[in-house]
Amino acid sequence: MIARTEVVERPPLLRSVNPATGEVLGEFKNMNETEVLSAVMKAKQAQKSWGFLPFEERAEWILKFKEFIRKNIENIADVISKEKGVSKFEALISDVFPILDLCSFYAKNTEKILKKEKVKIGIWEFIGRESYIEYFPYGVIGIISPWNFPFSIPVGQIVIALMAGNTCVLKPSEFTPKTGIMIKEIFDNIRLPQGVVEVVTGDGYTGECLVKAGVDKIFFTGSTFTGKRIIKIASEKLTPVVMELGGKDPMIVFEDVDLDITSDAAIFGSFFNTGQVCASVERIYVQRKIFNEFVDLIVEKTKKLRCGYSAVPWEYDVGAVISEKQLLKIKEHIEDAKEKGAKILAGGKIKSLFVEPVIIANVDGRFKVVSEETFGPVLPVMPFDTEDEAIQLANDSIYGLTASVWTRNIQRAKRIAQKLVYATVMINDNLITHAIPQVPWGGVKQSGIGRTHGKEGLLEMVQIRHIHINKMGQKIRSPWWYPFTPEKYRFALSLTNLIHSPYLKEKIESLLNIIKNIGKVSKQHL
Ligand code: NAD
């Protein structure tokens, strides 16, 4: 039985609401412990056969899934756009499009990446030993997701988990249950065997039940705060976790950049998805010589952004923030900055859940907007003088998700990248790498543990089994077995010197000793 850690009244239903319009999109179960356990049991049962399907068969399912998404891409983007209150264009390019490539990549490459591997075992090979490693699925993967990319984040993890032979139980965010259920419906539509992908809708408590329900690994994506809580709960059963957490991503702009291109990139990197991306540019450091000119440009361009929501996919650039709670955080950061003497250079008007994108100057590391994750359309800009100063400012964070370096001098950018304590460093780009399935995604410091995507992400979905074969095991005894004898002791010393002495003379003497004693030693047994 799961002991509830919080005694709170939980509503039986979750309401999915378009944050841009207030339209109610549907009601979904706020699932309890029994419902979560039942989903996990179904997934466990299904894994018994799914885990033994050949890779090609799993790949066929994934490609069917991909084709269903491709054919229905606009309807899928529509559900996401409404549930997040952002444009359908944004939903399409960020949440659905990358998944098609991801499906192709893992359908084609999983078998190759997970193939059995022989391990070179040095001296042991001379005494008839052989080792290899093979990979096997965990079993049931519990996936707990945020609302900011309610399709691409969980679906990416589900596809990789399935290709590796696991089944999954997904707990979508309480803000986006409709998208979560849509994921299940897509799998039902292609007639994926029951239990292979289960979805449990609900709030944080439902998530907690999933962590406790006996899943074999947890993939959590969300805030660092919740991540730490989940790690504590998971530690009770030593359930392994992958944590994809928050960020405060810096963009470093050198004086040799193309100002026009780089200012466009700054704005896109900061305000895309209403600034609600873990890898959003959350602070910009600009070299002093171009600081004023660069800031003028981003202010001018930010003022041109159209903030609003409509059914026309391209009518607005920046949509709503997801919730009152998120809005409060954004307001808190803006107020803190104002109180400490910052200058608001653009935006800041707030109407219902819409925040006109904000550019803030006259700030430094003491401001919340520079040191804490804002997760909204708020961009602080600061000057720097030297390369070393830029690196020091960028690294001054508890987070380490992504950073970007902007310059025409690629050698300099590579040199700086080596000193940035971030899991991803982009040179002359930002935001994009979560959409590239071949490369690892994750964070260092308090931005996360482990990886999703890439070969590294696939390896997180499997356990390693080492197979060791003693080819002489049925013919002779190992010389270190019982009983311990003086001959065996001397044999061990000779062997040590034969292998490790740097002197040829000592090696030869040891070898002669071994040859002399081996017969005797091999006859000494219980
Ligand atoms: P959140 O931590 O509030 O919630 C994430 C998920 O955890 C939700 O499904 C929620 O219901 C569930 N949850 C809450 N409490 C729980 C508990 N005690 N046990 C189990 N599950 C629980 O995060 P959010 O507001 O949905 O998302 C925003 C955060 O996610 C930001 O910090 C952002 O940086 C981060 N994020 C990180 C990545 C990444 O890849 N690193 C990607 C997207 C978002």
Side-chain angles (χ1 to χ4, degrees):
M1 287 292 282
I2 294 167
R4 287 189 60 170
T5 49
E6 276 177 20
V7 183
V8 282
E9 275 303 311
R10 296 176 68 237
L13 293 175
L14 293 174
R15 188 169 277 184
S16 161
V17 177
N18 180 336
T21 62
E23 182 195 357
V24 176
L25 305 168
E27 288 191 317
F28 299 88
K29 277 190 180 173
N30 195 9
M31 291 191 182
N32 58 30
E33 177 194 339
T34 316
E35 288 161 313
V36 172
L37 280 173
S38 147
V40 172
M41 290 323 291
K42 278 189 208 159
K44 272 195 195 295
Q45 191 57 32
Q47 203 274 333
K48 288 181 189 159
S49 38
W50 181 263
F52 289 96
L53 283 187
F55 283 108
E56 311 88 75
E57 269 185 57
R58 289 188 214 140
E60 275 170 28
W61 282 112
I62 295 305
L63 293 176
K64 255 191 220 171
F65 175 69
K66 173 191 165 184
E67 179 55 7
F68 186 93
I69 295 172
R70 190 192 65 79
K71 280 198 176 139
N72 296 280
I73 196 159
E74 287 203 87
N75 295 338
I76 293 170
D78 198 52
V79 171
I80 300 165
S81 146
K82 285 185 176 143
E83 208 170 28
K84 278 190 354 185
V86 300
S87 77
K88 192 164 148 182
F89 181 72
E90 207 160 54
L92 181 99
I93 59 168
S94 64
D95 241 322
V96 200
F97 175 78
I99 284 302
L100 302 178
D101 194 25
L102 185 139
C103 288
S104 305
F105 175 72
Y106 288 98
K108 190 167 169 216
N109 293 294
T110 301
E111 183 171 10
K112 214 183 314 163
I113 298 172
L114 297 185
K115 75 174 187 307
K116 216 191 263 181
E117 248 177 87
K118 188 162 191 262
V119 184
K120 288 196 172 145
I121 52 173
I123 53 162
W124 296 94
E125 284 174 16
F126 290 110
I127 51 171
R129 309 298 176 112
E130 187 178 289
S131 272
Y132 60 90
I133 53 171
E134 59 184 22
Y135 301 101
F136 64 105
Y138 272 94
V140 179
I141 303 288
I143 295 174
I144 301 177
S145 307
W147 45 265
N148 68 331
F149 292 111
F151 192 78
S152 64
I153 291 176
V155 169
Q157 294 171 350
I158 289 170
V159 167
I160 302 170
L162 296 192
M163 277 309 302
N166 303 286
T167 55
C168 301
V169 180
L170 162 67
K171 206 297 280 175
S173 165
E174 52 273 48
F175 293 105
T176 51
K178 189 167 172 145
T179 305
I181 291 295
M182 175 175 70
I183 294 168
K184 169 81 176 133
E185 285 167 356
I186 299 174
F187 281 114
D188 288 347
N189 254 300
I190 62 160
R191 298 185 193 290
L192 187 77
Q194 283 303 305
V196 174
V197 175
E198 288 290 312
V199 175
V200 290
T201 50
D203 54 15
Y205 174 68
T206 310
E208 212 164 302
C209 291
L210 182 57
V211 181
K212 292 173 178 172
V215 292
D216 300 292
K217 187 159 184 174
I218 286 284
F219 275 67
F220 171 75
T221 311
S223 62
T224 299
F225 175 83
T226 309
K228 288 178 184 173
R229 234 177 126 162
I230 290 178
I231 288 175
K232 267 194 197 151
I233 304 168
S235 72
E236 282 167 25
K237 288 186 186 161
L238 275 190
T239 308
V241 294
V242 164
M243 292 275 144
E244 300 288 1
L245 309 176
K248 187 74 193 171
D249 295 0
M251 169 168 177
I252 302 173
V253 180
F254 282 96
E255 62 190 27
D256 66 341
V257 293
D258 178 307
L259 285 171
D260 205 25
I261 292 177
T262 311
S263 55
D264 276 351
I267 287 167
F268 184 75
S270 306
F271 303 137
F272 182 69
N273 210 40
T274 323
Q276 304 168 122
V277 186
C278 51
S280 285
V281 170
E282 288 236 351
R283 49 201 171 111
I284 301 196
Y285 300 101
V286 186
Q287 205 157 22
R288 200 173 299 276
K289 197 168 162 201
I290 57 159
F291 183 75
N292 289 336
E293 201 181 345
F294 189 81
V295 171
D296 288 348
L297 258 180
I298 56 172
V299 167
E300 182 194 321
K301 291 180 177 183
T302 297
K303 286 181 178 165
K304 288 186 192 161
L305 293 175
R306 299 157 303 169
C307 185
Y309 176 83
S310 107
V312 181
W314 49 83
E315 195 172 343
Y316 291 103
D317 302 304
V318 181
V321 299
I322 192 78
S323 64
E324 282 295 335
K325 187 177 156 212
Q326 205 57 42
L327 184 66
L328 275 180
K329 176 94 170 276
I330 293 167
K331 280 182 180 168
E332 181 195 323
H333 282 197
I334 297 174
E335 282 316 308
D336 173 77
K338 280 184 184 164
E339 275 166 27
K340 290 177 179 154
K343 266 195 203 154
I344 309 291
L345 302 179
K349 249 195 237 155
I350 296 174
K351 202 171 158 205
S352 52
L353 287 177
F354 292 96
V355 179
E356 272 182 15
V358 186
I359 307 277
I360 304 190
N362 270 14
V363 289
D364 59 42
R366 292 167 301 139
F367 290 63
K368 287 186 180 176
V369 77
V370 178
S371 60
E372 294 177 18
E373 185 182 45
T374 310
F375 221 58
V378 183
L379 175 61
V381 269
M382 291 154 281
F384 73 88
D385 290 299
T386 64
E387 199 173 298
D388 283 348
E389 188 191 358
I391 293 166
Q392 185 261 318
L393 288 166
N395 282 340
D396 184 17
S397 174
I398 59 164
Y399 295 112
L401 194 60
T402 82
S404 63
V405 183
W406 297 75
T407 172
R408 290 179 213 249
N409 181 344
I410 301 296
Q411 284 316 316
R412 164 164 65 183
K414 287 185 182 168
R415 183 172 69 229
I416 292 169
Q418 287 182 336
K419 295 180 182 164
L420 291 173
V421 190
Y422 283 82
T424 297
V425 178
M426 284 168 261
I427 296 172
N428 294 330
D429 211 338
N430 55 32
L431 284 188
I432 197 66
T433 64
H434 190 266
I436 306 175
Q438 293 84 351
V439 293
W441 177 260
V444 298
K445 300 204 252 180
Q446 295 194 31
S447 286
I449 298 172
R451 294 292 182 270
T452 51
H453 296 186
K455 174 182 155 208
E456 297 76 7
L458 180 57
L459 291 176
E460 295 276 9
M461 292 287 184
V462 286
Q463 312 231 46
I464 297 170
R465 183 186 290 122
H466 166 215
I467 308 283
H468 182 75
I469 306 167
N470 177 0
K471 290 186 277 188
M472 306 297 282
Q474 286 300 304
K475 295 195 177 111
I476 55 168
R477 294 174 180 81
S478 294
W480 48 87
W481 289 1
Y482 295 132
F484 295 155
T485 63
E487 291 78 14
K488 284 188 180 179
Y489 183 72
R490 282 194 291 276
F491 187 88
L493 286 178
S494 300
L495 196 63
T496 307
N497 287 333
L498 174 67
I499 300 166
H500 297 290
S501 169
Y503 306 109
L504 187 63
K505 186 169 170 271
E506 213 168 2
K507 276 183 185 295
I508 293 170
E509 279 169 13
S510 306
L511 182 63
L512 293 175
N513 265 333
I514 287 171
I515 294 168
K516 198 169 117 196
N517 279 311
I518 196 156
K520 210 181 213 174
V521 164
S522 65
K523 282 186 198 115
Q524 292 176 334
H525 59 85
L526 296 175

